[in-house]
Amino acid sequence: MNNKNKALFWLLLLFLASCSTFSVINFENFYGPSYPRNREVSLVPEHQVDYWSEVKPIVENRCTVCHACYDAPCQFKSGSLQGIFRGASKTKVYNATRLTSAKPSRLFQDADTPTQWRESGFFPVINEHEQLPEANREASLIYQVLMLKKHNPLPANSVLDDSFTLGLNREQQCPQAGEFNQYAAEKPLWGMPYALPGLSEKEHNILTSWIEQGAVHTKKPALSASLVKLVNRWESFFNGSSNKEQLFTRYIYEHLFNASLYFDELNHRQYFRMVRSSTPPGEPIKQIVTRRPYDPPGVERVFYRLQEKYGSVADKNHMPYVLNKKRMNLWTKLFITPSYQVEQLPSYQVKVASNPFVVFAALPEMSRYHFMLEEAEFTIMGFIKGPVCRGQVALDVIDDHFWVFFVAPEEYDKRDTEAFFKSQQENLTLPASDENIYLPVTHWMKYAGKQKKYLEARNKFVKSYFKNGKKIGLDLIWNGEGVNPNAVLTVFRHFDSATVKKGLLGQAPKTAWVIGYQLLERIHYLLVAGYDVYGNVGHQLITRMYMDFMRMEGETAFLFLLPEKERNAIRNFWYRDAESEAKKYIILPRFYSNSENTIQYQSDDVQLELFQKLKARLYPVLEKEGWRQFSPQEKELAQLLEQLKSVAVNQLPEVSILEIKTGDNSNYITLLSNRGHLNTTAILKEQDNLLPEEDYLTVLPGIIGSYPNVFFSVESAQLGEFVNQVTQINSADDYRRLVTDYGVRRTNPGFWKHSDKVQQYHQKTQPVSAGILDYNRLENR
């Protein structure tokens, strides 16, 4: 651009900035046509910014904290170069009013190049016109939003006014570079990072310099020879030629397609995805991309490959799963060594493929159950961290805090149980077999009818199971063979997100589940394998409604362990004011005269007593040293918070992270607010079912949850004062004073310094399971 054109360009910008109505700037008039550029270079010139060592750490800790996974604003995912160069979109992934299913837009799956993403409606956030420094600044959305924040910083330490939209369903502007002037004039404080402090001078200069120089980067380092060797070994294991081996690997894939697979023998945070490919090991992967993992692959032979996972690790969808010699030996023992025949590989027809009890009928049922139990936290995490678990409507199907136990595998009679489940294959059909659901009520009635038939059949089966002197006892509950901590899990719901952790965490909850094989498998195929985040509103609604059945089954199984005379009263307490239609699906089997409960109860609170007995049974696998990094006084003061009055808990957000500083060292605890409910059967009416007087707090060491709502920071010597002030909360004003005194608000000039400490602690204390925490739910109070 010559000097005359430059002058005209800036005059135009000044003119637009002075107008109340703005037009879109066509950068082609100044910098030529736009098209994606190849930004890979063999060597970054001296004195220029390097992406891998300088840019990537800043982007991870300042951008990816909001821009990751399906709920990234404007679908801009900054965790990888591929995400940055893909750009952004005005289309939301989560759309509760979508009448027809949307075209998927999964990074690394549904398109391979920026050009393909442009054809899918994504627009660039990096200049794609002529590669000049001034063009790289002026036609780069990233550069513009960074400059907007630099010139318009947030008011320090204040509560932001109503001009900011925050929360899960906040307004998203998603301007393109040519639309930016209108955006800046209307929203001058909406620079990036959005509703958070700006970058430091050094960080700002590094990012803007990288953009000015054309966002070039060197090639990502290749995998080490040791990693390649392990990948080859596992791909060979996954791709045996026999029908037995092919069916086994299909089963593994449909359960691990979301996993972050890693090799612990290398002690390396290098993760892989298991993918279907049309090419065998030894050749480049040609990924088979489908909506669901069991959809028809379109090729005669599927090969299962390990594809390197690119980009940052976001805590909210990070589900690590280790591959090692022990794992390979176990799977061989469960699926390869046993003598059984797979005469014919099952169809990929959706009515078959969506029903695991049909498609995997040839695999030993107890082998499948052992596989899922071995890493039960991962299995349950699938519907906690998977795309279904996003938003209040998705999560109001579960209580805020409950414990999960599992039926002991040895309590199954192989012949009888397999015969029973085979007889119930049709009744166990899941809504996942339908793509677009336009009449969800009609579909619900169909599946509700199947569920009722299944419950009636199960009642008869359970009755026959106990008729020959089999007794109800604690041995019905899996104890992890005394070594596996996956034997018991705790689930916390945080209104519109959730967390699952090993162990019996927190005080005794209102409800608990006992899960056996068929229920565990159905939950996975309902909420993980069979859930389509791009599906229409009917699909999403029927999935939520069907999950009611799953919850009720798990709760009912727990009730079996209680005295017969107490079961109805406890169930009715869990389902206070529930509609009669919902209660039909928690009917208890009538087999009492043929069974005997050997669990001896002595107290009036039989549910609490049962929890205590189960805790004793599971004691060998429970975490016992969670507070070891804290002083006895710190632990005692922190745990006093669990005695908070409900009126104080009402004011606290879902997830609060408290830093306790002692000199240069910091430890962290998490405060989890658990909301009381009359029941969890209503859709869109949760507010009517809340019981604020039953709210309570759980206090745990470390970082719990992927979405913190607020940060607090106190010196160890101040902890007593902090606890005392929390106990005195009676109003919103009291809570605001607490945040003023001890909080690190999103407008605090020291926010990023504090954030870095929290993220580093999280990674240090949970080196495998931790990822980057997400700030999309930080409060503004």
Side-chain angles (χ1 to χ4, degrees):
M1 180 187 290
N2 58 37
N3 291 335
K4 181 178 179 181
N5 285 340
K6 286 182 183 178
L8 289 173
F9 177 82
W10 288 108
L11 283 172
L12 175 62
L13 290 186
L14 289 171
F15 172 74
L16 290 173
S18 66
C19 298
S20 59
T21 302
F22 296 84
S23 60
V24 174
I25 298 175
N26 186 348
F27 285 105
E28 287 194 5
N29 295 334
F30 303 96
Y31 301 119
S34 172
Y35 58 88
R37 313 284 173 139
N38 179 10
R39 301 179 188 274
E40 185 178 307
V41 296
S42 58
L43 182 68
V44 175
E46 191 177 358
H47 306 306
Q48 285 199 1
V49 175
D50 175 66
Y51 171 79
W52 300 106
S53 62
E54 298 178 86
V55 175
K56 184 174 181 287
I58 298 172
V59 172
E60 281 191 337
N61 292 294
R62 302 294 180 264
C63 307
T64 308
V65 289
C66 290
H67 286 276
C69 197
Y70 287 108
D71 55 0
C74 305
Q75 293 197 61
F76 174 57
K77 298 183 181 181
S78 63
S80 66
L81 283 168
Q82 292 87 341
I84 293 172
F85 298 151
R86 177 178 79 160
S89 170
K90 296 179 183 289
T91 302
K92 283 187 176 183
V93 172
Y94 290 101
N95 184 346
T97 62
R98 189 162 49 218
L99 296 180
T100 58
S101 54
K103 181 181 178 181
S105 56
R106 296 162 294 185
L107 190 62
F108 301 113
Q109 294 186 64
D110 297 308
D112 296 320
T113 66
T115 298
Q116 292 171 341
W117 286 118
R118 299 293 167 268
E119 295 168 354
S120 297
F122 280 76
F123 56 85
V125 295
I126 298 288
N127 172 45
E128 293 185 347
H129 300 274
E130 187 178 2
Q131 296 296 288
L132 300 171
E134 57 267 35
N136 291 337
R137 291 191 297 267
E138 294 155 10
S140 166
L141 184 63
I142 293 180
Y143 184 92
Q144 295 300 332
V145 295
L146 290 174
M147 293 302 296
L148 184 65
K149 173 56 67 77
K150 181 178 178 65
H151 295 311
N152 297 275
L154 297 178
N157 289 314
S158 65
V159 176
L160 298 175
D161 61 36
D162 292 340
S163 66
F164 287 87
T165 57
L166 300 166
L168 193 64
N169 295 309
R170 65 188 180 278
E171 177 186 359
Q172 294 184 19
Q173 295 288 318
C174 307
Q176 297 190 41
E179 303 165 335
F180 183 75
N181 286 315
Q182 181 170 350
Y183 170 89
E186 295 177 353
K187 310 287 186 182
L189 293 178
W190 281 31
M192 297 295 157
Y194 175 73
L196 290 166
L199 308 184
S200 69
E201 190 72 19
K202 179 180 179 180
E203 292 167 339
H204 178 87
N205 290 339
I206 289 174
L207 287 190
T208 53
S209 295
W210 182 64
I211 294 168
E212 285 178 335
Q213 69 191 37
V216 297
H217 62 92
T218 55
K219 189 173 183 178
K220 188 179 186 299
L223 293 176
S224 68
S226 298
L227 275 172
V228 171
K229 184 177 180 180
L230 285 172
V231 168
N232 291 339
R233 180 191 305 168
W234 276 94
E235 288 191 345
S236 176
F237 177 68
F238 285 141
N239 289 287
S241 59
S242 70
N243 284 353
K244 177 191 284 190
E245 290 168 308
Q246 290 186 59
L247 186 61
F248 146 68
T249 311
R250 176 173 170 179
Y251 182 79
I252 297 297
Y253 167 73
E254 291 185 15
H255 289 76
L256 298 186
F257 68 97
N258 273 337
S260 295
L261 302 170
Y262 70 101
F263 307 108
D264 61 349
E265 57 203 271
L266 294 181
N267 190 28
H268 197 283
R269 277 177 64 90
Q270 174 67 60
Y271 297 103
F272 295 84
R273 294 174 57 232
M274 190 176 184
V275 301
R276 297 193 295 182
S277 174
S278 60
T279 52
E283 296 182 17
I285 294 173
K286 290 186 178 179
Q287 188 178 176
I288 298 168
V289 178
T290 56
R291 279 183 177 268
R292 298 180 175 96
Y294 52 71
D295 284 341
V299 296
E300 183 175 348
R301 172 70 195 273
V302 172
F303 296 96
Y304 298 92
R305 310 288 301 278
L306 295 183
Q307 184 182 69
E308 182 182 2
K309 291 192 80 170
Y310 299 101
S312 308
V313 177
D315 196 87
K316 60 185 176 182
N317 67 344
H318 178 50
M319 296 186 288
Y321 196 103
V322 66
L323 298 179
N324 52 26
K325 292 180 181 179
K326 180 181 176 182
R327 181 84 66 202
M328 189 179 288
N329 291 338
L330 174 65
W331 289 353
T332 299
K333 178 182 177 181
L334 292 177
F335 295 102
I336 306 301
T337 303
S339 178
Y340 63 93
Q341 298 296 318
V342 180
E343 300 293 345
Q344 184 177 353
L345 291 175
S347 166
Y348 280 100
Q349 183 183 4
V350 67
K351 295 293 184 182
V352 174
S354 65
N355 189 331
F357 305 107
V358 174
V359 73
F360 299 113
L363 298 180
E365 183 178 286
M366 283 304 96
S367 294
R368 288 177 264 159
Y369 189 33
H370 274 289
F371 163 78
M372 299 183 83
L373 278 186
E374 184 70 16
E375 298 291 346
E377 181 187 37
F378 171 86
T379 305
I380 300 298
M381 194 183 294
F383 75 87
I384 294 299
K385 286 194 172 183
V388 67
C389 240
R390 187 270 195 190
Q392 176 214 359
V393 175
L395 284 163
D396 66 7
V397 72
I398 60 175
D399 275 288
D400 270 34
H401 176 213
F402 60 96
W403 290 340
V404 178
F405 307 93
F406 299 93
V407 176
E410 58 268 23
E411 291 304 318
Y412 282 89
D413 182 284
K414 177 181 176 183
R415 182 182 59 193
D416 290 347
T417 54
E418 288 198 357
F420 169 69
F421 286 122
K422 283 182 179 179
S423 73
Q424 294 300 304
Q425 288 179 352
E426 176 60 27
N427 289 333
L428 294 176
T429 301
L430 295 164
S433 62
D434 302 293
E435 182 171 321
N436 280 315
I437 295 176
Y438 300 108
L439 297 172
V441 174
T442 301
H443 277 73
W444 182 84
M445 292 175 66
K446 178 179 75 172
Y447 290 109
K450 291 178 183 291
Q451 176 71 2
K452 193 171 182 180
K453 289 179 181 178
Y454 166 69
L455 289 177
E456 291 170 351
R458 191 191 65 171
N459 288 353
K460 293 178 181 178
F461 172 73
V462 173
K463 181 177 180 179
S464 67
Y465 182 77
F466 285 97
K467 70 180 179 181
N468 295 320
K470 180 64 183 177
K471 299 175 182 179
I472 299 174
L474 293 177
D475 58 348
L476 288 172
I477 301 300
W478 184 48
N479 68 352
E481 286 77 47
V483 295
N484 191 334
N486 285 277
V488 60
L489 306 173
T490 298
V491 175
F492 292 103
R493 176 196 168 193
H494 320 302
F495 184 66
D496 54 23
S497 66
T499 300
V500 59
K501 303 292 285 186
K502 297 185 186 78
L504 296 170
L505 304 183
Q507 54 270 64
K510 185 178 84 171
T511 66
W513 300 12
V514 172
I515 297 179
Y517 166 66
Q518 62 80 23
L519 183 54
L520 196 58
E521 196 76 272
R522 290 167 80 198
I523 290 175
H524 175 77
Y525 274 84
L526 177 73
L527 299 181
V528 185
Y531 184 76
D532 180 10
V533 70
Y534 297 93
N536 77 334
V537 61
H539 166 75
Q540 297 175 38
L541 185 59
I542 195 67
T543 300
R544 158 61 180 85
M545 295 165 75
Y546 195 88
M547 186 56 199
D548 268 330
F549 301 151
M550 306 292 95
R551 183 197 63 249
M552 291 175 182
E553 280 192 46
E555 291 172 340
T556 298
F558 175 78
L559 291 171
F560 292 163
L561 300 174
L562 294 169
E564 176 186 342
K565 63 181 180 180
E566 304 286 352
R567 295 169 182 164
N568 279 328
I570 292 173
R571 180 203 63 186
N572 290 337
F573 177 74
W574 293 353
Y575 287 86
R576 287 168 287 177
D577 291 356
E579 295 181 3
S580 58
E581 185 67 25
K583 289 186 177 180
K584 291 180 182 178
Y585 301 93
I586 197 171
I587 301 169
L588 296 177
R590 294 182 174 87
F591 61 89
Y592 313 122
S593 60
N594 300 103
S595 65
E596 179 183 345
N597 192 327
T598 62
I599 305 172
Q600 299 298 315
Y601 291 95
Q602 307 295 329
S603 68
D604 293 332
D605 191 340
V606 292
Q607 181 173 323
L608 179 60
E609 188 176 351
L610 175 57
F611 282 145
Q612 292 168 343
K613 293 178 184 296
L614 289 168
K615 185 174 183 178
R617 174 172 170 77
L618 295 159
Y619 183 79
V621 301
L622 299 180
E623 167 65 55
K624 303 173 184 67
E625 299 182 358
W627 289 94
R628 64 184 179 276
Q629 298 182 52
F630 298 81
S631 71
Q633 183 183 21
E634 289 172 342
K635 176 182 176 182
E636 182 180 356
L637 285 169
Q639 291 182 326
L640 280 176
L641 291 169
E642 291 198 337
Q643 302 174 22
L644 276 187
K645 296 179 295 184
S646 59
V647 66
V649 182
N650 300 159
Q651 295 298 327
L652 290 169
E654 307 294 327
V655 180
S656 307
I657 295 179
L658 170 63
E659 176 190 31
I660 302 174
K661 296 183 290 186
T662 306
D664 294 331
N665 297 319
S666 293
N667 283 317
Y668 294 84
I669 64 174
T670 303
L671 317 180
L672 302 172
S673 298
N674 306 302
R675 310 302 180 194
H677 293 80
L678 284 166
N679 64 77
T680 54
T681 62
I683 300 176
L684 304 176
K685 294 182 180 180
E686 182 175 13
Q687 195 66 33
D688 296 338
N689 283 327
L690 292 177
L691 287 174
E693 64 272 19
E694 293 185 8
D695 289 0
Y696 61 94
L697 197 69
T698 297
V699 180
L700 297 172
I703 308 295
I704 307 294
S706 302
Y707 299 91
N709 299 120
V710 66
F711 293 120
F712 293 108
S713 179
V714 300
E715 298 287 345
S716 182
Q718 294 178 303
L719 183 57
E721 299 171 14
F722 173 83
V723 171
N724 183 64
Q725 189 165 338
V726 175
T727 62
Q728 300 303 311
I729 292 176
N730 285 294
S731 66
D733 287 339
D734 291 339
Y735 175 75
R736 181 171 292 195
R737 279 191 289 272
L738 178 76
V739 179
T740 299
D741 292 343
Y742 299 103
V744 183
R745 281 197 173 99
R746 62 187 308 143
T747 54
N748 190 312
F751 176 87
W752 289 121
K753 182 179 179 180
H754 184 81
S755 168
D756 289 341
K757 290 173 62 179
V758 173
Q759 301 276 12
Q760 290 163 11
Y761 179 91
H762 191 37
Q763 298 280 345
K764 179 181 178 181
T765 55
Q766 301 181 55
V768 173
S769 62
I772 298 169
L773 299 174
D774 192 276
Y775 294 161
N776 278 297
R777 289 164 174 80
L778 281 177
E779 67 175 12
N780 177 42
R781 286 199 283 168

